[in-house]
Every structure is written in structure tokens, then in C-alpha cells.
Amino acid sequence: MAAAEEDGGSGVARQAELRRAEGNACFRKARLGAAIDCYTEAIALCPGVAVYWVNRGLCHFRRKDWARVEEDSRRALALDDASVKGHYLLGCALLEKEDCALAVKEFDKALDLLKSSSSRDKMAEDIWQVLAKAKYLDWEKHSTQRVWKMQSLREACENALQEHHFLSGTLSEDSDGRTNEYSEQCKLLSEVFTNAILADTPGDVPDYLCCQITFEIFRDPVITPSGVTYERTILLEHLRKVGNFDPVTREPLKEHQLVPNLAIKEAVQAYLKEHSWAYKLN
């Protein structure tokens, strides 16, 4: 009896896998409706398999049906929290809802999972692109509010400083015409708030933090034997499509010669932490 039940269970699992294979074939042909039907059948047979929910979520992703993307990705992650695609899909759905902070958490989790698996597939680049978008939109969303709060705080500080010196009788200039303590403190206060606002104002990213090919801020910088640093994916594309040489120095170059530039990567991370607007891509 137990053996028969076991055979029945394995038979259901095989049927579910067949439905998944059919769904994959339909997905590759962009027959999304048929693919969704196949994955739905697989889920009905084996609802505890995370990849079936992820695959159906990918179909909804192609259709931009974000409510269903969120639903299927959450079901998948409840079954397997280590699903890179599950976190990616959920992040995309949250980003469409303009819930940027939560989207960033999902994209960060997806990238961390990819790093732990030592994977360098194209998905890492896709995740970084939407992560950068989410962080920039989050900065943009709160930028005006931060400036307004900064201005209000500045006015409050200036009023408090003026009141303090008025009560202490040190508001006017010294008798010999020299700048008094109140004027010096006002000047210092102005510099502090001006610098704070400038730090949150978009500008030019320093050249040493940008790839010489894309002119965008580095994500995964690598250095060549010539001493030039490039974005890894862009340089690898150059080596594959153009030739095995350094784009700048023209010296011979092979993929195995590339070394991660950890110093630049840390500098980029520190810069982005202080200047979230720099996440905006060209």
C-alpha cells in the first residue's frame, strides 16, 4: 500500500514536471497564456515547488501584470527564500507600486544570493539596473522633502541663535568694528547647511569612479595589467566582440588577466552612500 502511494506521488511529480517543460517551451515561443496554463497545472499538482510559482510569475512579469507578479513571487519565496528570481520579481512588483525602499531590500537580497553562488550571469546586471533605478527614485521621492526640512531646520537654528545673543547682549558688532561671536556663528551655520544641501544635489561623478567606456559609475570594476579600470561586463563584451586587447592601451588582454579593483569598488560604495542621486544611469 505504501509503495503504491509512493508510486502515485512520484507519478504526480512527473506529471507536474511535464507541465513545467511544456510551459517552458511555450514561454520561449512567447505564448504566455499557454505557458501560464501549464504552470498553473503544475502548481495544482505540486503546490510546494517554488520554481513553478516563479515561472508563472515570469509570465506575468512579461505581461506587466504586477499584482500577479507580486502574488506568485511571494508564494515562491515562502517556499524557497533563496530564490534569486523570486526576490527579483518581488522587487520589480514593489518598484511598480513605488515602494522603493522595500524594492531595494529585495534586489539587495537577490544580489547577495548571486554573490554567494559565485554566479556572474546576465541576471546580476539586470538586478543591478533595477536596483539603481529603485535607489535613485527613492532619493528623488524624498529629495524635495529633505530640502524643505533642511530649510526649516536652518531657520529654526538661526532664530534660536539670534534669540540667544539678543538675551545675552552680544547681538551687535564689537565697538572696534570687529566681527563678533554672533556673526561668526551665523557664518558657520550657513556653511554647514549649504554643504549639506550641496551634498544632496546632483552633480558630476568623479571620473575615477566611472568606466572609461560607458562613463557610468562602476558596479563591478576590474583592473587590467595596463593599470586601467573598466566595468567587468562591458570589458568582457569588448573582449568577445572586438578582440583580445585593452580598449585604451591596445595591449594584448585575456579574461583571466582581469583582477577585481576592490579599492575602487569600496570608493564607489562610499560615494553612493552619500550621493544616492549618482545611481541614475545614462
Side-chain angles (χ1 to χ4, degrees):
M1 181 70 176
E5 289 178 355
E6 184 176 337
D7 288 342
S10 62
V12 169
R14 284 196 296 271
Q15 286 297 315
E17 277 299 294
L18 287 173
R19 298 286 83 75
R20 179 170 81 103
E22 291 174 10
N24 291 348
C26 292
F27 184 83
R28 286 192 293 269
K29 296 176 181 178
R31 296 173 55 206
L32 298 180
I36 289 172
D37 290 341
C38 291
Y39 295 137
T40 300
E41 290 178 24
I43 289 169
L45 292 166
C46 294
V49 180
V51 70
Y52 300 161
W53 295 96
V54 168
N55 286 4
R56 192 172 72 175
L58 284 168
C59 294
H60 295 314
F61 175 85
R62 287 282 186 89
R63 286 183 160 185
K64 301 186 185 303
D65 188 344
W66 301 111
R68 287 190 168 89
V69 171
E70 180 177 357
E71 180 182 350
D72 280 359
S73 58
R74 288 191 184 280
R75 292 294 297 268
L77 291 172
L79 295 167
D80 178 14
D81 191 53
S83 170
V84 174
K85 289 182 179 179
H87 287 288
Y88 170 73
L89 290 174
L90 179 55
C92 289
L94 292 170
L95 184 57
E96 287 297 320
K97 292 169 61 177
E98 298 185 359
D99 199 340
C100 300
L102 289 179
V104 166
K105 290 182 180 179
E106 295 301 326
F107 295 141
D108 279 335
K109 178 69 173 177
L111 283 178
D112 287 342
L113 289 167
L114 275 181
K115 290 175 186 175
S116 64
S117 66
S118 299
S119 174
R120 291 195 181 277
D121 60 17
K122 182 181 179 296
M123 193 171 185
E125 177 66 16
D126 292 340
I127 295 171
W128 202 96
Q129 292 278 341
V130 287
L131 172 62
K133 179 181 178 181
K135 289 199 172 186
Y136 177 79
L137 290 176
D138 189 53
W139 168 84
E140 190 176 49
K141 180 179 179 181
H142 297 99
S143 179
T144 302
Q145 186 180 12
R146 281 193 300 272
V147 171
W148 181 84
K149 286 182 177 180
M150 194 80 69
Q151 186 61 36
S152 298
L153 180 59
R154 178 176 181 170
E155 291 175 1
C157 290
E158 288 174 345
N159 291 337
L161 186 62
Q162 184 180 42
E163 182 178 358
H164 167 73
H165 283 280
F166 174 77
L167 294 174
S168 61
T170 56
L171 195 59
S172 59
E173 288 187 349
D174 295 338
S175 57
D176 57 4
R178 291 182 302 173
T179 304
N180 63 4
E181 182 183 13
Y182 170 67
S183 298
E184 289 291 343
Q185 289 178 343
C186 282
K187 182 180 178 182
L188 179 60
L189 190 65
S190 177
E191 290 177 357
V192 168
F193 280 98
T194 298
N195 290 336
I197 291 174
L198 285 175
D200 199 40
T201 302
D204 293 327
V205 178
D207 290 342
Y208 74 95
L209 298 180
C210 298
C211 176
Q212 295 195 38
I213 299 176
T214 65
F215 302 108
E216 289 185 351
I217 196 164
F218 283 118
R219 302 186 282 282
D220 186 13
V222 291
I223 190 168
T224 68
S226 305
V228 184
T229 299
Y230 301 96
E231 180 62 36
R232 180 189 293 275
T233 55
I234 301 301
L235 183 55
L236 291 179
E237 184 178 9
H238 165 84
L239 295 178
R240 286 194 301 268
K241 295 183 177 180
V242 182
N244 291 314
F245 59 89
D246 188 306
V248 172
T249 68
R250 317 297 287 185
E251 294 182 11
L253 180 64
K254 295 291 184 66
E255 181 176 346
H256 72 270
Q257 295 177 286
L258 306 181
V259 178
N261 193 330
L262 300 180
I264 289 295
K265 190 168 187 175
E266 289 179 5
V268 166
Q269 291 171 346
Y271 188 84
L272 288 173
K273 187 175 182 180
E274 297 295 326
H275 307 88
S276 295
W277 51 263
Y279 276 103
K280 186 173 184 179
L281 304 175
N282 293 336

